[in-house]
Amino acid sequence: MAIREIRVFGDPVLRTVCDPVVEIDEGVRALVQDLLDTVDMEGRAGLASTQIGHTLRVFSLHIDGELSYVINPEIVALEGEPVLTGEGCLSVPDLWFDVARYPRATVRGIDLDGHAVEIAGDGLLAQALQHECDHLDGKLYLSRLDRDTRGEAMRQIRTSSWF
């Protein structure tokens, strides 16, 4: 459908807890297509609906050259001990910080036909599943930083060219 503009830090939609999709209609189909079109670029691993201004519980992924999406995703399993992993976010451009993430994650939801889907993985996939579900819960990865690092992130944001 279309490549959408990414909402950036400070936009209130990024703090919105998303509503579940209750009916798969043309609007939801268009949203999924827009998420897939917008994430399908070099350097993009995932995109949540809030990042393009919507508040339905949907995200898209672009991992290892494969595009996917999940409607109404819920994390059903996190495995291993959290590990500090370098992380960035399209909604907080040019910042990169270590965030504690579980090394393996499993998400369940549905597809556009209403069929159950499950995505499980480790590494970048596990990180993206957790990151995108955080977005749908109204959280940016900055909220997972320790106090000092979050303060440094805020200083960098205030002096950035995009803020």
Side-chain angles (χ1 to χ4, degrees), residues 1-2 4 19-37 48-49 52 54-60 69-73 109-115:
M1 290 291 229
R4 298 294 179 191
D19 296 320
V21 172
V22 294
E23 179 183 355
I24 298 172
D25 57 16
E26 288 311 307
V28 171
R29 291 182 190 287
L31 172 60
V32 167
Q33 191 59 57
D34 288 352
L35 284 165
L36 291 169
D37 290 347
S49 64
I52 61 170
H54 291 267
T55 59
L56 289 176
R57 195 165 182 85
V58 183
F59 69 66
S60 61
Y69 68 91
V70 181
I71 298 169
N72 295 336
I110 61 172
D111 65 14
L112 284 169
D113 296 319
H115 298 127

Side-chain angles (χ1 to χ4, degrees), residues 44-116:
R44 293 185 175 181
L47 188 68
S49 64
T50 54
Q51 293 179 276
I52 61 170
H54 291 267
T55 59
L56 289 176
R57 195 165 182 85
V58 183
F59 69 66
S60 61
L61 298 171
H62 185 211
I63 306 286
D64 297 330
E66 302 254 343
L67 289 171
S68 60
Y69 68 91
V70 181
I71 298 169
N72 295 336
E74 297 293 337
I75 294 176
V76 295
L78 296 169
E79 299 173 51
E81 291 298 318
V83 176
L84 287 177
T85 306
E87 191 163 313
C89 180
L90 296 171
S91 293
V92 191
D94 305 324
L95 271 69
W96 193 264
F97 292 99
D98 286 339
V99 178
R101 295 287 188 189
Y102 288 89
R104 183 157 181 77
T106 303
V107 165
R108 284 190 193 135
I110 61 172
D111 65 14
L112 284 169
D113 296 319
H115 298 127

